[in-house]
Amino acid sequence: MHYRSNVLRILARYGAKILNKQHLNGVKSAWSDVCSGVPQGSVIGPLLFVLFINDMPSGTTNFVSLFADDTKLFGKSTLPSGSNTIQDDLQLLQEWSEKWDLQFNKEKCQTLYLGKSNNKNIYKMSSQRETVSLQETVAEKDLGIIIDNELTFKKHISQTSKSNNGHDSKNFHIS
């Protein structure tokens, strides 16, 4: 029991007073309080971030994938009911983000439609201040792999072969 109280005391002190200062083009801002989030570059920061977001997918109908600060929602929408569950899950995630003051960057939120029978519903993220329609993308990079809407991996292969210092990837032999 003594161990648990020490851990709680350390965590309470860790987030008690965090200050931030901005540097831009040689100009420094004044120090200001940081009232939410996890400090970057800290050892315990990633653990705290995972603890903070761990309950995010609770209550969703579709699968939610979390990796670091990247969130993906996967759903099947060949029928209108599928589109409705995806939209409902987006709303749940938005409400969660407002509750915990960890906002999604809506400009980075996109829809990747897979399959020929997909009804390509327009999905929205709505908050009290705004409603944003998510833009369609034909490819998305996920953990270094480019996934395209036809699952061909042509763009990934093309980009990977170009990034080999100008050498065609066929010239490399593994023995």
Side-chain angles (χ1 to χ4, degrees):
M1 287 299 187
H2 181 68
Y3 174 76
R4 186 183 309 171
S5 64
N6 284 340
V7 170
L8 291 175
R9 194 173 317 117
I10 290 168
L11 290 176
R13 284 188 198 145
Y14 181 78
K17 184 74 170 176
I18 300 172
L19 298 173
N20 186 37
K21 189 177 199 177
Q22 300 292 320
H23 299 257
L24 181 62
N25 297 330
V27 178
K28 297 177 184 177
S29 71
W31 287 100
S32 61
D33 289 331
V34 175
C35 55
S36 67
V38 174
Q40 291 184 343
S42 66
V43 175
I44 199 169
L47 172 65
L48 289 176
F49 185 77
V50 168
L51 291 173
F52 289 157
I53 67 167
N54 194 41
D55 68 332
M56 182 189 295
S58 63
T60 57
T61 302
N62 295 289
F63 179 73
V64 176
S65 169
L66 301 172
F67 182 78
D69 65 346
D70 196 22
T71 305
K72 289 187 176 22
L73 173 66
F74 299 90
K76 186 175 180 179
S77 67
T78 53
L79 300 172
S81 60
S83 297
N84 292 341
T85 62
I86 293 170
Q87 185 59 59
D88 292 345
D89 286 350
L90 280 170
Q91 190 58 39
L92 274 174
L93 293 172
Q94 180 63 35
E95 290 168 5
W96 178 92
S97 76
E98 289 173 1
K99 175 182 176 183
W100 296 109
D101 199 23
L102 287 170
Q103 301 302 312
F104 288 103
N105 183 344
K106 293 181 185 81
E107 290 78 34
K108 289 185 175 182
C109 296
Q110 298 176 321
T111 304
L112 177 65
Y113 300 105
L114 301 173
K116 295 182 187 333
S117 62
N118 194 308
N119 63 13
K120 293 195 173 186
N121 189 55
I122 303 296
Y123 297 103
K124 299 176 176 24
M125 292 190 78
S126 299
S127 64
Q128 293 176 347
R129 290 175 275 159
E130 64 180 343
T131 297
V132 175
S133 295
L134 302 184
Q135 299 299 309
E136 178 180 357
T137 183
V138 295
E140 176 68 23
K141 193 170 190 175
D142 190 26
L143 299 177
I145 298 173
I146 301 171
I147 310 287
D148 63 57
N149 59 350
E150 296 178 359
L151 296 175
T152 63
F153 298 97
K154 287 179 185 175
K155 188 171 183 178
H156 176 76
I157 292 166
S158 172
Q159 191 165 340
T160 303
S161 63
K162 286 178 187 175
S163 67
N164 288 327
N165 296 324
H167 297 92
D168 186 354
S169 61
K170 295 177 190 173
N171 293 335
F172 295 100
H173 300 282
I174 299 173
S175 353

